[in-house]
Coordinates of all heavy atoms in Angstrom, one line a residue:
M1193 N 16.6 5.5 -1.6 CA 16.9 6.7 -0.8 C 16.5 8.0 -1.5 O 15.9 8.9 -1.0 CB 18.4 6.7 -0.5 CG 18.9 7.9 0.3 SD 18.3 7.8 2.0 CE 19.5 6.7 2.7
N1194 N 16.7 8.0 -2.9 CA 16.3 9.1 -3.7 C 14.8 9.3 -3.7 O 14.4 10.5 -3.6 CB 16.9 8.9 -5.1 CG 16.8 10.2 -5.9 OD1 17.0 11.3 -5.4 ND2 16.4 10.1 -7.2
L1195 N 14.1 8.3 -3.8 CA 12.6 8.4 -3.8 C 12.1 8.9 -2.5 O 11.2 9.8 -2.4 CB 12.0 7.0 -4.0 CG 12.1 6.4 -5.4 CD1 11.5 4.9 -5.4 CD2 11.3 7.2 -6.4
Y1196 N 12.7 8.5 -1.4 CA 12.3 8.9 -0.1 C 12.7 10.4 0.1 O 11.8 11.2 0.6 CB 13.0 8.0 1.0 CG 12.4 8.3 2.4 CD1 11.1 8.0 2.7 CD2 13.2 8.8 3.4 CE1 10.5 8.2 3.9 CE2 12.7 9.0 4.7 CZ 11.4 8.7 4.9 OH 10.9 8.9 6.2
F1197 N 13.8 10.8 -0.3 CA 14.2 12.2 -0.1 C 13.3 13.1 -1.0 O 12.9 14.2 -0.5 CB 15.7 12.4 -0.5 CG 16.7 12.0 0.6 CD1 17.9 11.6 0.3 CD2 16.3 12.0 1.9 CE1 18.8 11.3 1.2 CE2 17.2 11.7 2.9 CZ 18.5 11.3 2.6
N1198 N 13.0 12.6 -2.2 CA 12.1 13.4 -3.0 C 10.7 13.6 -2.4 O 10.0 14.6 -2.5 CB 12.0 12.8 -4.4 CG 13.2 13.1 -5.2 OD1 13.9 14.1 -5.0 ND2 13.4 12.2 -6.2
K1199 N 10.2 12.5 -1.7 CA 8.9 12.5 -1.0 C 9.0 13.5 0.1 O 8.0 14.3 0.3 CB 8.6 11.1 -0.5 CG 7.2 11.0 0.0 CD 6.2 11.1 -1.1 CE 4.8 10.8 -0.5 NZ 3.8 10.7 -1.6
I1200 N 10.0 13.5 0.9 CA 10.2 14.5 2.0 C 10.2 15.9 1.4 O 9.5 16.8 2.0 CB 11.5 14.2 2.8 CG1 11.3 12.9 3.5 CG2 11.8 15.3 3.8 CD1 12.6 12.4 4.2
K1201 N 10.8 16.1 0.3 CA 10.9 17.4 -0.3 C 9.5 17.9 -0.7 O 9.0 19.0 -0.5 CB 11.8 17.4 -1.5 CG 12.0 18.7 -2.2 CD 13.0 18.6 -3.3 CE 13.1 20.0 -4.0 NZ 14.1 19.9 -5.1
R1202 N 8.7 16.9 -1.3 CA 7.3 17.2 -1.7 C 6.4 17.5 -0.6 O 5.4 18.2 -0.7 CB 6.8 16.1 -2.6 CG 7.4 16.1 -4.0 CD 6.6 15.2 -5.0 NE 6.3 13.9 -4.5 CZ 7.1 12.8 -4.6 NH1 8.3 12.9 -5.2 NH2 6.7 11.7 -4.2
T1203 N 6.7 16.9 0.6 CA 5.9 17.2 1.8 C 6.5 18.4 2.6 O 6.1 18.5 3.8 CB 5.7 15.9 2.7 OG1 7.0 15.5 3.1 CG2 5.0 14.8 1.9
K1204 N 7.3 19.1 2.0 CA 7.9 20.3 2.6 C 8.7 20.0 4.0 O 8.5 20.7 5.0 CB 6.9 21.4 2.9 CG 6.3 21.9 1.5 CD 5.3 23.0 1.8 CE 4.7 23.6 0.5 NZ 4.6 22.9 -0.7
G1205 N 9.3 18.8 4.0 CA 10.1 18.4 5.1 C 9.4 17.6 6.2 O 10.0 17.3 7.2
N1206 N 8.1 17.3 6.0 CA 7.3 16.6 6.9 C 7.6 15.1 6.8 O 7.0 14.4 6.0 CB 5.8 17.0 6.8 CG 5.0 16.4 7.9 OD1 5.3 15.3 8.4 ND2 3.9 17.0 8.1
I1207 N 8.5 14.6 7.6 CA 8.9 13.2 7.5 C 7.8 12.2 7.8 O 7.6 11.2 7.2 CB 10.2 12.9 8.3 CG1 11.4 13.7 7.8 CG2 10.5 11.4 8.4 CD1 12.6 13.7 8.6
T1208 N 7.0 12.6 8.8 CA 5.9 11.8 9.2 C 4.9 11.6 8.1 O 4.5 10.5 7.7 CB 5.2 12.4 10.4 OG1 6.1 12.5 11.5 CG2 4.0 11.5 10.9
L1209 N 4.6 12.7 7.4 CA 3.6 12.7 6.3 C 4.2 11.9 5.1 O 3.5 11.1 4.5 CB 3.3 14.1 5.9 CG 2.2 14.2 4.8 CD1 0.9 13.6 5.2 CD2 2.0 15.7 4.5
A1210 N 5.5 12.1 4.9 CA 6.2 11.4 3.8 C 6.2 9.9 4.0 O 5.9 9.1 3.1 CB 7.6 11.9 3.6
S1211 N 6.3 9.5 5.3 CA 6.4 8.1 5.6 C 5.1 7.3 5.6 O 5.0 6.1 5.7 CB 7.1 7.9 7.0 OG 8.4 8.5 6.9
R1212 N 4.0 8.1 5.5 CA 2.7 7.4 5.4 C 2.4 6.8 4.1 O 1.5 5.9 3.9 CB 1.6 8.5 5.7 CG 1.5 8.8 7.2 CD 0.4 9.7 7.5 NE 0.5 10.0 9.0 CZ 0.0 11.1 9.5 NH1 -0.5 12.0 8.8 NH2 0.1 11.3 10.8
S1213 N 3.1 7.2 3.1 CA 2.9 6.6 1.7 C 4.2 6.1 1.1 O 4.1 5.4 0.1 CB 2.3 7.7 0.8 OG 3.2 8.8 0.7
L1214 N 5.3 6.2 1.7 CA 6.6 5.7 1.2 C 7.5 5.3 2.3 O 7.8 6.2 3.2 CB 7.2 6.7 0.3 CG 8.5 6.2 -0.5 CD1 8.0 5.2 -1.6 CD2 9.2 7.4 -1.1
A1215 N 7.8 4.0 2.4 CA 8.6 3.6 3.5 C 10.1 4.1 3.4 O 10.6 4.2 2.3 CB 8.7 2.1 3.6
P1216 N 10.7 4.5 4.5 CA 12.1 4.9 4.5 C 12.9 3.7 4.0 O 12.5 2.5 4.1 CB 12.4 5.2 5.9 CG 11.1 5.4 6.6 CD 10.1 4.5 5.9
P1217 N 14.1 4.0 3.4 CA 15.0 2.9 2.9 C 15.2 1.8 4.0 O 15.4 2.2 5.2 CB 16.3 3.6 2.6 CG 15.8 5.0 2.2 CD 14.7 5.3 3.2
A1218 N 15.1 0.6 3.6 CA 15.3 -0.6 4.5 C 14.2 -0.9 5.4 O 14.2 -1.8 6.3 CB 16.6 -0.5 5.3
Y1219 N 13.0 -0.2 5.3 CA 11.9 -0.4 6.1 C 10.7 -0.9 5.3 O 9.6 -0.9 5.9 CB 11.5 0.9 6.9 CG 12.5 1.1 8.1 CD1 13.6 1.9 7.9 CD2 12.2 0.5 9.3 CE1 14.5 2.1 8.9 CE2 13.1 0.7 10.4 CZ 14.3 1.5 10.1 OH 15.2 1.7 11.2
S1220 N 10.8 -1.2 4.1 CA 9.7 -1.7 3.3 C 9.5 -3.2 3.5 O 10.4 -4.0 3.5 CB 10.0 -1.5 1.8 OG 9.0 -2.1 1.0
Y1221 N 8.2 -3.5 3.7 CA 7.9 -4.9 3.8 C 8.0 -5.7 2.5 O 7.9 -6.9 2.4 CB 6.4 -5.1 4.4 CG 6.3 -4.8 5.8 CD1 5.7 -3.6 6.3 CD2 6.8 -5.7 6.8 CE1 5.6 -3.4 7.6 CE2 6.8 -5.4 8.1 CZ 6.1 -4.2 8.6 OH 6.0 -4.0 9.9
H1222 N 8.1 -4.9 1.4 CA 8.2 -5.5 0.1 C 9.5 -6.4 0.0 O 9.5 -7.3 -0.8 CB 8.3 -4.5 -1.0 CG 6.9 -3.9 -1.4 ND1 6.0 -4.6 -2.2 CD2 6.3 -2.8 -1.0 CE1 4.9 -3.9 -2.3 NE2 5.1 -2.8 -1.5
S1223 N 10.5 -6.1 0.8 CA 11.7 -6.9 0.8 C 11.6 -8.2 1.5 O 12.5 -9.0 1.4 CB 12.9 -6.1 1.4 OG 12.6 -5.7 2.7
I1224 N 10.5 -8.4 2.2 CA 10.3 -9.7 2.9 C 9.1 -10.5 2.5 O 8.6 -11.4 3.2 CB 10.3 -9.5 4.5 CG1 9.1 -8.6 4.9 CG2 11.6 -8.9 5.0 CD1 8.8 -8.6 6.4
G1225 N 8.5 -10.1 1.4 CA 7.4 -10.9 0.8 C 6.1 -10.2 0.5 O 5.3 -10.8 -0.1
D1226 N 6.0 -9.0 1.0 CA 4.7 -8.3 0.6 C 4.8 -7.9 -0.9 O 5.9 -7.8 -1.5 CB 4.6 -7.0 1.4 CG 4.3 -7.2 2.9 OD1 4.4 -8.3 3.3 OD2 3.8 -6.2 3.5
F1227 N 3.6 -7.7 -1.4 CA 3.6 -7.3 -2.8 C 2.3 -6.5 -3.1 O 1.3 -6.5 -2.3 CB 3.7 -8.5 -3.8 CG 2.7 -9.6 -3.6 CD1 1.5 -9.6 -4.3 CD2 3.0 -10.6 -2.7 CE1 0.6 -10.6 -4.1 CE2 2.1 -11.6 -2.4 CZ 0.9 -11.6 -3.1
D1228 N 2.4 -5.7 -4.2 CA 1.2 -4.9 -4.6 C 0.5 -5.6 -5.7 O 1.1 -6.3 -6.5 CB 1.7 -3.5 -5.1 CG 2.3 -2.7 -4.0 OD1 2.0 -2.9 -2.8 OD2 3.2 -1.9 -4.3
V1229 N -0.8 -5.5 -5.7 CA -1.7 -6.2 -6.7 C -2.6 -5.1 -7.3 O -2.7 -4.0 -6.8 CB -2.5 -7.3 -6.0 CG1 -1.7 -8.4 -5.5 CG2 -3.4 -6.7 -4.9
G1230 N -3.2 -5.5 -8.4 CA -4.1 -4.6 -9.1 C -5.0 -5.3 -10.1 O -4.9 -6.5 -10.3
K1231 N -5.9 -4.5 -10.6 CA -6.8 -5.0 -11.6 C -6.2 -4.6 -13.0 O -5.8 -3.5 -13.2 CB -8.2 -4.2 -11.4 CG -9.2 -4.6 -12.4 CD -10.5 -3.9 -12.1 CE -11.6 -4.2 -13.1 NZ -12.9 -3.7 -12.7
K1232 N -6.2 -5.6 -13.8 CA -5.6 -5.5 -15.2 C -6.3 -4.3 -15.9 O -7.5 -4.2 -15.9 CB -5.8 -6.8 -15.9 CG -5.0 -6.8 -17.3 CD -5.1 -8.1 -17.9 CE -4.3 -8.2 -19.2 NZ -4.4 -9.5 -19.9
G1233 N -5.5 -3.4 -16.5 CA -6.0 -2.3 -17.2 C -6.3 -1.1 -16.4 O -6.7 0.0 -17.0
W1234 N -6.2 -1.1 -15.1 CA -6.5 0.0 -14.3 C -5.4 1.0 -14.1 O -5.6 2.1 -13.6 CB -7.0 -0.5 -12.9 CG -8.5 -0.4 -12.8 CD1 -9.4 -0.6 -13.8 CD2 -9.3 -0.1 -11.6 NE1 -10.7 -0.5 -13.3 CE2 -10.6 -0.2 -11.9 CE3 -8.9 0.1 -10.3 CZ2 -11.6 0.0 -11.0 CZ3 -9.9 0.4 -9.4 CH2 -11.2 0.3 -9.7
G1235 N -4.2 0.5 -14.3 CA -3.0 1.4 -14.2 C -2.9 2.0 -12.8 O -3.1 1.4 -11.8
Y1236 N -2.6 3.3 -12.8 CA -2.4 4.0 -11.5 C -3.6 4.0 -10.6 O -3.5 4.0 -9.3 CB -2.0 5.5 -11.7 CG -1.6 6.2 -10.5 CD1 -0.4 6.0 -9.8 CD2 -2.5 7.1 -9.9 CE1 -0.1 6.6 -8.7 CE2 -2.2 7.7 -8.7 CZ -1.0 7.5 -8.1 OH -0.7 8.1 -6.9
K1237 N -4.8 3.8 -11.1 CA -6.0 3.8 -10.3 C -6.0 2.6 -9.3 O -6.6 2.6 -8.2 CB -7.3 3.7 -11.2 CG -8.5 4.0 -10.5 CD -9.7 4.0 -11.5 CE -11.0 4.3 -10.7 NZ -12.2 4.3 -11.6
N1238 N -5.2 1.6 -9.6 CA -5.0 0.5 -8.6 C -4.4 0.9 -7.3 O -4.7 0.3 -6.3 CB -4.1 -0.6 -9.2 CG -4.8 -1.4 -10.3 OD1 -5.9 -2.0 -10.0 ND2 -4.2 -1.6 -11.4
F1239 N -3.7 2.0 -7.3 CA -3.1 2.5 -6.1 C -3.9 3.6 -5.5 O -3.3 4.6 -4.9 CB -1.6 3.0 -6.4 CG -0.8 1.8 -7.0 CD1 -0.5 1.8 -8.4 CD2 -0.4 0.8 -6.2 CE1 0.2 0.8 -8.9 CE2 0.3 -0.3 -6.8 CZ 0.6 -0.3 -8.1
T1240 N -5.2 3.5 -5.5 CA -6.1 4.4 -4.8 C -7.1 3.5 -4.0 O -7.2 2.3 -4.2 CB -6.9 5.2 -5.9 OG1 -7.8 4.4 -6.6 CG2 -5.9 6.0 -6.8
V1241 N -7.9 4.2 -3.2 CA -8.9 3.5 -2.4 C -10.0 2.9 -3.3 O -10.7 2.0 -2.9 CB -9.5 4.4 -1.3 CG1 -8.5 4.8 -0.3 CG2 -10.2 5.6 -2.0
S1242 N -10.1 3.3 -4.5 CA -11.0 2.7 -5.5 C -10.8 1.2 -5.7 O -11.8 0.5 -5.9 CB -11.0 3.4 -6.8 OG -11.3 4.7 -6.7
F1243 N -9.6 0.8 -5.5 CA -9.3 -0.7 -5.7 C -10.1 -1.5 -4.7 O -10.5 -2.6 -5.0 CB -7.8 -1.0 -5.6 CG -7.5 -2.4 -5.8 CD1 -7.7 -3.0 -7.0 CD2 -7.0 -3.2 -4.7 CE1 -7.4 -4.4 -7.2 CE2 -6.8 -4.5 -4.8 CZ -7.0 -5.1 -6.1
A1244 N -10.4 -0.9 -3.5 CA -11.1 -1.7 -2.5 C -12.6 -1.9 -2.9 O -13.3 -2.7 -2.2 CB -11.1 -0.9 -1.2
R1245 N -13.0 -1.3 -4.0 CA -14.4 -1.5 -4.4 C -14.5 -2.5 -5.6 O -15.5 -2.6 -6.3 CB -15.1 -0.2 -4.8 CG -15.3 0.7 -3.5 CD -16.1 1.9 -3.8 NE -15.4 2.9 -4.6 CZ -14.6 3.9 -4.0 NH1 -14.5 4.0 -2.7 NH2 -14.0 4.8 -4.8
T1246 N -13.4 -3.1 -6.0 CA -13.4 -4.0 -7.1 C -13.6 -5.5 -6.7 O -13.4 -5.8 -5.6 CB -12.0 -4.0 -7.8 OG1 -11.0 -4.5 -7.0 CG2 -11.6 -2.5 -8.3
E1247 N -14.1 -6.2 -7.7 CA -14.3 -7.7 -7.4 C -13.0 -8.3 -7.1 O -12.9 -9.2 -6.3 CB -15.0 -8.3 -8.7 CG -15.1 -9.8 -8.6 CD -16.0 -10.3 -7.4 OE1 -16.8 -9.5 -7.0 OE2 -15.8 -11.4 -7.0
E1248 N -11.9 -7.9 -7.8 CA -10.6 -8.5 -7.6 C -10.2 -8.3 -6.1 O -9.6 -9.2 -5.5 CB -9.5 -7.8 -8.5 CG -9.6 -8.2 -9.9 CD -10.8 -7.5 -10.7 OE1 -11.5 -6.6 -10.1 OE2 -10.9 -7.7 -11.9
F1249 N -10.4 -7.2 -5.5 CA -10.1 -6.9 -4.1 C -10.8 -7.9 -3.2 O -10.2 -8.5 -2.3 CB -10.4 -5.5 -3.7 CG -10.3 -5.2 -2.2 CD1 -9.0 -5.0 -1.7 CD2 -11.4 -5.2 -1.4 CE1 -8.9 -4.8 -0.3 CE2 -11.2 -5.0 0.0 CZ -10.0 -4.8 0.5
W1250 N -12.1 -8.1 -3.4 CA -12.9 -9.0 -2.6 C -12.6 -10.4 -2.8 O -12.6 -11.2 -1.8 CB -14.4 -8.7 -2.8 CG -14.7 -7.4 -2.2 CD1 -15.0 -6.2 -2.8 CD2 -14.7 -7.0 -0.8 NE1 -15.1 -5.2 -1.9 CE2 -15.0 -5.7 -0.7 CE3 -14.5 -7.8 0.4 CZ2 -15.0 -5.0 0.6 CZ3 -14.6 -7.1 1.6 CH2 -14.8 -5.8 1.7
R1251 N -12.1 -10.8 -4.0 CA -11.7 -12.2 -4.2 C -10.4 -12.4 -3.4 O -10.2 -13.5 -2.8 CB -11.4 -12.4 -5.7 CG -12.8 -12.6 -6.4 CD -12.7 -12.9 -7.9 NE -11.5 -13.4 -8.4 CZ -11.1 -13.1 -9.7 NH1 -11.8 -12.3 -10.4 NH2 -10.0 -13.6 -10.1
L1252 N -9.5 -11.4 -3.3 CA -8.3 -11.5 -2.5 C -8.6 -11.6 -1.0 O -8.0 -12.4 -0.3 CB -7.4 -10.3 -2.7 CG -6.7 -10.2 -4.1 CD1 -6.2 -8.8 -4.3 CD2 -5.6 -11.2 -4.2
Q1253 N -9.6 -10.9 -0.6 CA -10.0 -11.0 0.8 C -10.4 -12.4 1.3 O -10.3 -12.7 2.4 CB -11.1 -10.0 1.1 CG -10.8 -8.5 0.9 CD -9.6 -8.1 1.7 OE1 -9.6 -8.2 3.0 NE2 -8.5 -7.7 1.1
R1254 N -10.9 -13.1 0.3 CA -11.4 -14.5 0.7 C -10.3 -15.5 0.7 O -10.5 -16.7 1.2 CB -12.5 -14.9 -0.3 CG -13.8 -14.1 -0.2 CD -14.9 -14.8 -0.9 NE -14.8 -14.7 -2.4 CZ -15.3 -13.6 -3.1 NH1 -15.9 -12.7 -2.5 NH2 -15.1 -13.6 -4.4
L1255 N -9.1 -15.2 0.3 CA -8.0 -16.1 0.3 C -7.4 -16.2 1.7 O -7.3 -15.2 2.4 CB -6.8 -15.6 -0.6 CG -7.2 -15.6 -2.1 CD1 -6.1 -15.0 -2.9 CD2 -7.6 -17.0 -2.6
S1256 N -7.1 -17.4 2.2 CA -6.7 -17.6 3.6 C -5.2 -17.4 3.8 O -4.8 -17.2 5.0 CB -7.1 -19.0 4.1 OG -6.4 -19.9 3.3
Y1257 N -4.4 -17.3 2.8 CA -3.0 -17.1 2.9 C -2.4 -15.7 2.7 O -1.2 -15.5 2.8 CB -2.3 -18.1 2.0 CG -2.6 -18.0 0.6 CD1 -1.9 -17.2 -0.3 CD2 -3.7 -18.8 0.1 CE1 -2.3 -17.1 -1.6 CE2 -4.1 -18.7 -1.3 CZ -3.3 -17.8 -2.1 OH -3.7 -17.7 -3.4
I1258 N -3.3 -14.8 2.5 CA -2.8 -13.4 2.4 C -3.8 -12.5 3.2 O -4.9 -12.9 3.4 CB -2.7 -12.9 0.9 CG1 -4.1 -12.9 0.3 CG2 -1.7 -13.6 0.1 CD1 -4.1 -12.1 -1.1
S1259 N -3.3 -11.3 3.5 CA -4.2 -10.3 4.1 C -3.6 -8.9 3.8 O -2.5 -8.8 3.3 CB -4.3 -10.5 5.6 OG -3.1 -10.1 6.3
M1260 N -4.4 -7.9 4.1 CA -3.9 -6.5 3.8 C -2.9 -6.1 4.9 O -3.1 -6.3 6.0 CB -5.1 -5.6 3.9 CG -6.1 -5.7 2.8 SD -7.5 -4.6 3.1 CE -6.7 -3.1 3.3
R1261 N -1.8 -5.5 4.4 CA -0.8 -5.0 5.3 C -1.3 -3.7 6.0 O -1.2 -3.5 7.2 CB 0.5 -4.7 4.6 CG 1.6 -4.0 5.4 CD 2.1 -4.8 6.5 NE 3.0 -5.9 6.0 CZ 3.5 -6.8 6.8 NH1 3.3 -6.7 8.1 NH2 4.2 -7.7 6.3
Y1262 N -1.9 -2.8 5.2 CA -2.3 -1.5 5.7 C -3.8 -1.2 5.6 O -4.3 -0.7 4.6 CB -1.5 -0.4 5.0 CG 0.0 -0.5 5.1 CD1 0.8 -0.7 4.0 CD2 0.6 -0.4 6.4 CE1 2.2 -0.9 4.2 CE2 2.0 -0.6 6.5 CZ 2.8 -0.8 5.4 OH 4.1 -0.9 5.6
T1263 N -4.4 -1.7 6.7 CA -5.9 -1.5 6.8 C -6.2 0.0 7.1 O -5.3 0.8 7.4 CB -6.5 -2.4 7.8 OG1 -5.8 -2.1 9.1 CG2 -6.3 -3.9 7.5
I1264 N -7.5 0.3 7.1 CA -7.9 1.6 7.6 C -7.5 1.8 9.0 O -7.7 0.9 9.8 CB -9.4 1.8 7.4 CG1 -9.8 1.7 5.9 CG2 -9.9 3.1 8.0 CD1 -11.3 1.7 5.6
N1265 N -6.9 3.0 9.3 CA -6.4 3.3 10.7 C -5.5 2.2 11.3 O -5.6 1.8 12.4 CB -7.6 3.5 11.6 CG -8.5 4.6 11.3 OD1 -8.0 5.7 10.8 ND2 -9.8 4.5 11.4
N1266 N -4.6 1.7 10.4 CA -3.6 0.7 10.9 C -2.7 1.3 12.0 O -2.4 2.5 12.0 CB -2.8 0.1 9.7 CG -2.0 1.2 9.0 OD1 -1.0 1.6 9.4 ND2 -2.6 1.6 7.8
K1267 N -2.1 0.4 12.8 CA -1.3 0.9 13.9 C 0.1 1.5 13.5 O 0.7 2.1 14.2 CB -1.0 -0.3 14.9 CG -0.3 -1.5 14.3 CD -0.1 -2.5 15.4 CE 0.5 -3.8 14.9 NZ 1.6 -3.8 14.0
D1268 N 0.5 1.2 12.2 CA 1.7 1.8 11.7 C 1.6 3.3 11.3 O 2.6 3.9 11.0 CB 2.2 1.0 10.5 CG 2.6 -0.4 10.9 OD1 3.2 -0.6 12.0 OD2 2.3 -1.4 10.2
G1269 N 0.3 3.7 11.2 CA 0.1 5.1 10.8 C 0.2 5.3 9.3 O 0.3 6.4 8.8
V1270 N 0.3 4.2 8.5 CA 0.4 4.3 7.1 C -1.0 4.5 6.5 O -2.0 4.0 7.0 CB 1.1 3.0 6.5 CG1 1.1 3.0 5.0 CG2 2.5 2.9 7.1
R1271 N -1.1 5.1 5.4 CA -2.4 5.3 4.7 C -3.0 4.0 4.4 O -2.3 3.0 4.3 CB -2.2 6.2 3.4 CG -1.4 5.4 2.4 CD -1.2 6.2 1.1 NE -0.2 5.4 0.3 CZ 0.1 5.8 -0.9 NH1 -0.3 6.9 -1.4 NH2 1.0 5.0 -1.6
F1272 N -4.3 4.0 4.2 CA -5.0 2.8 3.8 C -4.6 2.4 2.4 O -4.6 3.1 1.4 CB -6.5 3.1 3.8 CG -7.4 2.0 3.2 CD1 -7.3 0.7 3.6 CD2 -8.4 2.3 2.3 CE1 -8.1 -0.3 3.1 CE2 -9.2 1.3 1.8 CZ -9.1 0.0 2.2
E1273 N -4.0 1.1 2.2 CA -3.5 0.7 1.0 C -4.1 -0.7 0.6 O -3.6 -1.8 0.9 CB -2.0 0.5 1.0 CG -1.3 1.8 1.1 CD 0.3 1.7 1.0 OE1 0.8 0.6 0.9 OE2 0.9 2.8 0.8
P1274 N -5.3 -0.7 0.0 CA -6.0 -2.0 -0.3 C -5.2 -2.8 -1.3 O -5.5 -4.0 -1.4 CB -7.4 -1.6 -0.8 CG -7.2 -0.1 -1.3 CD -6.1 0.4 -0.4
W1275 N -4.3 -2.3 -2.0 CA -3.5 -3.0 -3.0 C -2.3 -3.7 -2.5 O -1.7 -4.5 -3.1 CB -3.1 -2.0 -4.1 CG -2.2 -0.9 -3.5 CD1 -0.8 -1.0 -3.4 CD2 -2.6 0.4 -3.0 NE1 -0.3 0.2 -2.8 CE2 -1.4 1.0 -2.6 CE3 -3.8 1.0 -2.9 CZ2 -1.4 2.3 -2.1 CZ3 -3.8 2.3 -2.4 CH2 -2.6 2.9 -2.0
H1276 N -2.0 -3.4 -1.2 CA -0.7 -4.0 -0.6 C -1.1 -5.2 0.3 O -1.7 -5.0 1.3 CB -0.1 -2.9 0.2 CG 1.3 -3.2 0.8 ND1 2.4 -2.5 0.6 CD2 1.7 -4.3 1.4 CE1 3.4 -3.0 1.2 NE2 3.0 -4.2 1.7
V1277 N -0.6 -6.3 -0.1 CA -0.9 -7.6 0.6 C 0.3 -8.2 1.2 O 1.4 -8.0 0.7 CB -1.7 -8.6 -0.3 CG1 -3.0 -8.0 -0.8 CG2 -0.8 -9.0 -1.5
K1278 N 0.1 -9.0 2.2 CA 1.2 -9.7 2.9 C 0.8 -11.2 2.9 O -0.4 -11.6 3.0 CB 1.4 -9.2 4.3 CG 0.3 -9.4 5.2 CD 0.6 -8.8 6.6 CE -0.6 -9.0 7.6 NZ -0.3 -8.5 8.9
I1279 N 1.8 -12.0 2.9 CA 1.7 -13.4 3.0 C 1.5 -13.7 4.5 O 2.3 -13.2 5.3 CB 2.9 -14.2 2.4 CG1 3.1 -13.9 1.0 CG2 2.7 -15.7 2.6 CD1 2.0 -14.3 0.0
I1280 N 0.6 -14.5 4.9 CA 0.3 -14.9 6.3 C 1.1 -16.1 6.7 O 1.2 -17.1 6.0 CB -1.1 -15.1 6.6 CG1 -1.9 -13.9 6.3 CG2 -1.3 -15.5 8.1 CD1 -3.4 -14.0 6.4
Ligands
ZN510 ZN1 3.1 -1.9 -1.5

């Protein structure tokens, strides 16, 4: 809740904009099996679109049991998150 309120404050009260990068409390798919992945040694850069240009990203794309939760222009209106995967 605190993270979400701080995000709303940083977006000057724009809840729609805040929700594009941080799920409201109780609405995160992380609680039902989604997880974030990254390239070892990349740190925060893993949480940028640059991750979509890594070999690690493309190796994940070839796995049949996971897929990306938030693709480009996803129907949820969430930003593109190549690091966020879901179990199929
Ligand atoms: Zn995530």
Side-chain angles (χ1 to χ4, degrees):
M1193 184 67 82
N1194 191 40
L1195 289 172
Y1196 191 63
F1197 282 154
N1198 284 336
K1199 187 72 174 187
I1200 292 170
K1201 185 177 179 182
R1202 287 196 308 276
T1203 58
K1204 299 180 176 24
N1206 188 330
I1207 295 172
T1208 300
L1209 183 59
S1211 300
R1212 287 186 180 149
S1213 60
L1214 187 70
Y1219 286 89
S1220 171
Y1221 286 108
H1222 283 278
S1223 61
I1224 60 167
D1226 286 20
F1227 54 95
D1228 296 331
V1229 296
K1231 179 175 177 172
K1232 189 174 181 181
W1234 258 35
Y1236 185 76
K1237 196 173 178 184
N1238 283 308
F1239 302 106
T1240 67
V1241 295
S1242 295
F1243 181 67
R1245 293 188 287 272
T1246 64
E1247 174 61 26
E1248 287 79 359
F1249 173 79
W1250 289 105
R1251 284 177 25 211
L1252 288 166
Q1253 296 302 299
R1254 291 192 290 271
L1255 298 175
S1256 61
Y1257 55 90
I1258 63 170
S1259 70
M1260 291 176 52
R1261 170 68 71 184
Y1262 301 116
T1263 56
I1264 295 172
N1265 296 324
N1266 62 77
K1267 63 178 171 47
D1268 295 319
V1270 175
R1271 66 182 173 177
F1272 173 50
E1273 293 188 350
W1275 62 88
H1276 186 128
V1277 297
K1278 64 180 178 179
I1279 303 295
I1280 301 174

